[in-house]
Amino acid sequence: MKLEKRLQQGLSEMGLDLAAPVRKKLLTFLELLEKWNRAYNLTAVRDPEQMVPRHLLDSLTVLPYLQGPRVLDIGTGAGLPGIPLALARPDIEFTLLDSNAKKTRFATQALHELGLKNVSVVQERVEKFHPETKFDTLIARAFASIPDMLAASRHLCAPRGRFLVMKGVFPQEELAAVTDGYRSEVTALRIPGLDAARHLVILAPTN
């Protein structure tokens, strides 16, 4: 009950209204993550109460910024932020990409247990991933520096697509290293229960 209350309170503070079945599945996902984490070390966060702001609420902060029918989660790890976002937006098709077999196994099992039909998991390095259709929104959370991420994944971005890069402190040096060809915008994010700086960098190719 404590986790449910913490999640509900956080969502309310963020102005997100998710239906009760979605909130229940978010907590089920957290239970799975905690269970697998004991054996597979998927995340450094061990305390479920800390997982609510650090994983669930943090992931869901980018909900208002999603665009288009196809979203790619680059370096998804344990399915973050892709799985929480997919639970909240069943109308969008998500692809979770990671080269780590242990993590993609967990993500695949989580999809099965949660009954998520709008998500696929791909075990591949981002630079070697060449799907038939490109993506409208590409999300990176704790994946790499912004210039490295763009260099590795630009080929996956649809003509009118954009990147959402989730960062901690304002990434001034990384943005300064981005060469021409991108329009950038940075938004400060506030995650209830998380006393740390969070920023969202929105990058759109200009050509």
Side-chain angles (χ1 to χ4, degrees), residues 10-101:
L11 290 171
S12 179
E13 286 182 40
M14 290 163 62
L16 295 176
D17 184 20
L18 299 183
V22 175
R23 297 198 306 271
K24 187 175 180 183
K25 285 193 173 185
L26 284 167
L27 292 173
T28 300
F29 171 64
L30 218 58
E31 285 173 22
L32 288 169
L33 183 55
E34 187 199 6
K35 180 180 166 186
W36 277 60
N37 205 34
R38 291 176 206 146
Y40 293 98
N41 196 28
L42 299 170
T43 166
V45 184
R46 300 285 176 189
D47 179 3
E49 280 197 46
Q50 280 303 307
M51 285 182 178
V52 172
R54 286 177 178 271
H55 289 331
L56 296 185
L57 299 178
D58 187 58
S59 294
L60 293 167
T61 53
V62 299
L63 261 182
Y65 303 94
L66 299 180
Q67 68 171 27
R70 284 172 55 78
V71 174
L72 176 66
D73 180 3
I74 304 168
T76 188
L80 298 159
I83 289 177
L85 291 172
L87 285 167
R89 290 295 303 271
D91 56 314
I92 292 178
E93 183 186 330
F94 288 82
T95 298
L96 311 184
L97 180 67
D98 205 286
S99 61
N100 184 303

Side-chain angles (χ1 to χ4, degrees), residues 187-201:
T187 302
L189 302 173
R190 197 185 72 78
I191 293 96
L194 190 60
D195 186 21
R198 296 295 283 153
H199 290 84
L200 179 67
V201 181

